[in-house]
Amino acid sequence: MALTLTSLATLQGADFDEIIDVRSPAEYAEDHVPGAVSLPVLSNAERAEVGTVYVQDSPFRARKMGAAMVARNAARHLETHLAGKGGGYRPLVYCWRGGQRSGSFTGILQQVGWRADVLKGGYQSYRRLVQSALYEAVFPCPVLLLDGDTGSGKTDLLNLLPQEGFQVIDLEGLAHHRGSLLGAYADAQPAQKGFESELAAAITALDPARPVVVEAESSKVGRINLPPTIWQAMKSAPRLVLSVPRAARARYLMRSYDDLLARPEDLAARLEPFRKLHGHAQVDDWQQMVTEQAFEPLADSLMAVHYDPLYRRNRKAKPGAALDLALSETALDPTEITRTARQVADALRSLSR
């Protein structure tokens, strides 16, 4: 049996115990069906070796080599990841095109007695649906933007809104980046395709009859580009603009950037690109604050000199209706932020009427 994908919702609603990606680890790392497990039937080196023999020597010899490698790797997966699966186990298997790699592995699983199916067209058929959803389709439901200057707690508040009955998409969470020049985490962002898979899955799961709340972003989050389907919807969406005293925002940034503050050398290096924008004297002053570990004054100065003017200029260029919400000095404190989320939810309901 082969599953034919007609939409991403077909995949989300399919009745499989597990989705197995049998492509090489490098292919899986770049992108994969969300939730799929990696059980490669060819390693990165084996895939390269088989491909070289196919092109430079003999397709027959390459297929024979590949079959032996697939058999060895399949045996290892049967003895490890699949060892505890019961008789009713039903996996969906895919490779790049739905051809030899997934067909061979699926055949082995079926010989065991499992109800294994292959994804027709493999990863490529899935990727075409992702591209259609993000580059061709119209966004499926109304969008509300959560806006505000740096340090306004937007991401934390966004992720509390489901408790208030809202559906949300956390673009910074999907992109694994806080969205500013200083916003990278120590580990890398996902590949663009990997981000798009997660975003497409999140969009597919939305209820079209209800608005979705998204944090106001530029068209890039770190090095990730926002696809046109969501970016076009965001550009004209109504926005709730949070206004928080700068001192409270500086305290919040101390908590939310604690990982970066623990690596002062990294922080100092990330300040270097600001020299083109604000000059050597200003950046030297900021780096002295890093040396002295005066992180709260540093956050305050970065907002006053760079981030607040930048955000306000960008906000003026946005066409969507806006509603301002002034928050208290303590609104972002850990003991208060749940109450603040209720305030934000009430304001968003007013904005969406």
Side-chain angles (χ1 to χ4, degrees):
M1 294 288 292
L3 174 69
T4 300
L5 282 185
T6 56
S7 70
L8 293 174
T10 302
L11 186 59
Q12 290 187 352
D15 184 23
F16 293 100
D17 297 316
E18 196 164 43
I19 300 175
I20 298 175
D21 186 325
V22 299
R23 298 174 305 154
S24 68
E27 292 171 298
Y28 179 88
E30 181 183 28
D31 185 29
H32 54 269
V33 174
V37 298
S38 177
L39 299 182
V41 295
L42 294 176
S43 69
N44 296 333
E46 288 169 340
R47 179 170 174 260
E49 182 182 1
V50 170
T52 299
V53 171
Y54 188 96
V55 172
Q56 298 182 1
D57 186 358
S58 161
F60 173 74
R61 181 166 174 258
R63 286 193 294 269
K64 187 167 64 172
M65 285 176 55
M69 293 171 179
V70 167
R72 283 194 293 270
N73 289 321
R76 176 168 50 83
H77 297 320
L78 286 165
E79 293 166 351
T80 54
H81 180 85
L82 300 171
K85 305 297 184 184
Y89 177 60
R90 188 186 178 203
L92 176 67
V93 182
Y94 72 90
C95 63
W96 184 257
R97 299 186 190 87
Q100 290 183 336
R101 284 185 287 177
S102 58
S104 299
F105 192 63
T106 300
I108 293 171
L109 300 186
Q110 289 171 342
Q111 288 298 313
V112 171
W114 289 319
R115 297 179 298 153
D117 291 340
V118 67
L119 177 60
K120 186 176 181 180
Y123 167 81
Q124 287 188 328
S125 67
Y126 160 76
R127 177 63 188 167
R128 283 193 290 270
L129 291 175
V130 171
Q131 288 178 300
S132 176
L134 299 182
Y135 288 85
E136 300 168 11
V138 175
F139 198 81
C141 60
V143 173
L144 299 174
L145 290 183
L146 188 60
D147 202 349
D149 290 335
T150 293
S152 298
K154 299 184 293 293
T155 300
D156 282 350
L157 290 166
L158 180 80
N159 287 307
L160 288 170
L161 289 177
Q163 300 174 24
E164 304 297 325
F166 282 94
Q167 51 187 0
V168 306
I169 294 179
D170 181 1
L171 293 171
E172 292 186 2
L174 296 178
H176 195 60
H177 195 283
R178 285 167 288 216
S180 70
L181 279 175
L182 301 178
Y185 291 98
D187 49 339
Q189 289 187 264
Q192 179 73 30
K193 287 182 178 179
F195 167 81
E196 289 178 358
S197 277
E198 296 292 344
L199 176 59
I203 292 173
T204 302
L206 294 174
D207 177 357
R210 298 164 53 214
V212 60
V213 185
V214 178
E215 186 174 340
E217 304 283 356
S218 66
S219 61
K220 294 187 73 171
V221 183
R223 59 173 177 76
I224 296 292
N225 293 298
L226 295 185
T229 291
I230 192 167
W231 177 239
Q232 291 301 322
M234 290 170 63
K235 285 201 298 185
S236 57
R239 62 187 54 234
L240 178 65
V241 182
L242 306 180
S243 177
V244 185
R246 201 167 73 214
R249 291 189 283 126
R251 292 195 302 272
Y252 174 82
L253 289 172
M254 292 283 289
R255 297 194 303 273
S256 58
Y257 280 75
D258 59 349
D259 60 314
L260 183 57
L261 301 186
R263 308 189 310 275
E265 299 84 359
D266 191 7
L267 174 56
R270 293 191 196 185
L271 291 170
E272 284 298 315
F274 287 94
R275 292 186 184 277
K276 292 182 179 179
L277 298 169
H278 301 293
H280 294 291
Q282 178 64 78
V283 175
D284 289 344
D285 186 39
W286 287 337
Q287 291 191 330
Q288 183 62 32
M289 293 181 188
V290 174
T291 300
E292 296 170 356
Q293 298 193 6
F295 295 131
E296 193 166 328
L298 172 64
D300 185 83
S301 181
L302 280 165
M303 287 188 290
V305 174
H306 178 76
Y307 285 108
D308 287 2
L310 175 65
Y311 274 52
R312 287 162 189 164
R313 283 196 303 271
N314 290 343
R315 200 172 294 129
K316 286 180 181 179
K318 300 295 192 300
L323 174 66
D324 293 324
L325 177 62
L327 298 177
S328 71
E329 181 76 30
T330 61
L332 303 181
D333 292 353
T335 56
E336 293 292 321
I337 198 164
T338 300
R339 185 181 303 171
T340 303
R342 287 195 287 272
Q343 288 181 260
V344 171
D346 289 341
L348 287 167
R349 292 185 189 99
S350 297
L351 185 63
S352 63
R353 291 192 186 111

